[in-house]
Amino acid sequence: MRIEADLNKCDGLGMCEAMAPDFFEVGDEGTVVVLDENPGEEHRTDLAAAVDACPVLALKLVS
């Protein structure tokens, strides 16, 4: 599994960071920083919730 972030869409609202702080943070530029682009499958449920929480649809999980 891989996390992809579209920085052109990201508004830095931080919903992903609130839902999965071990994998996302809002960086100094005001956009998401993916802390682990290739997390293990055991994190899929939490990451899917964080991706779904993004109001601007800037994140996706790729199998």
Side-chain angles (χ1 to χ4, degrees):
M1 170 174 53
R2 187 175 76 249
I3 301 170
E4 291 184 357
D6 184 339
L7 301 182
N8 292 318
K9 288 183 179 180
C10 181
D11 283 340
L13 299 172
M15 296 301 294
C16 56
E17 184 176 13
M19 300 282 296
D22 291 338
F23 298 95
F24 304 103
E25 71 178 32
V26 176
D28 293 337
E29 291 81 37
T31 55
V32 66
V33 175
V34 179
L35 302 175
D36 181 356
E37 292 182 357
N38 297 293
E41 279 296 319
E42 67 273 16
H43 301 289
R44 182 175 289 276
T45 300
D46 292 337
L47 290 170
V51 167
D52 289 344
C54 180
V56 295
L57 306 175
L59 300 170
K60 68 178 174 178
L61 292 180
V62 179
S63 295

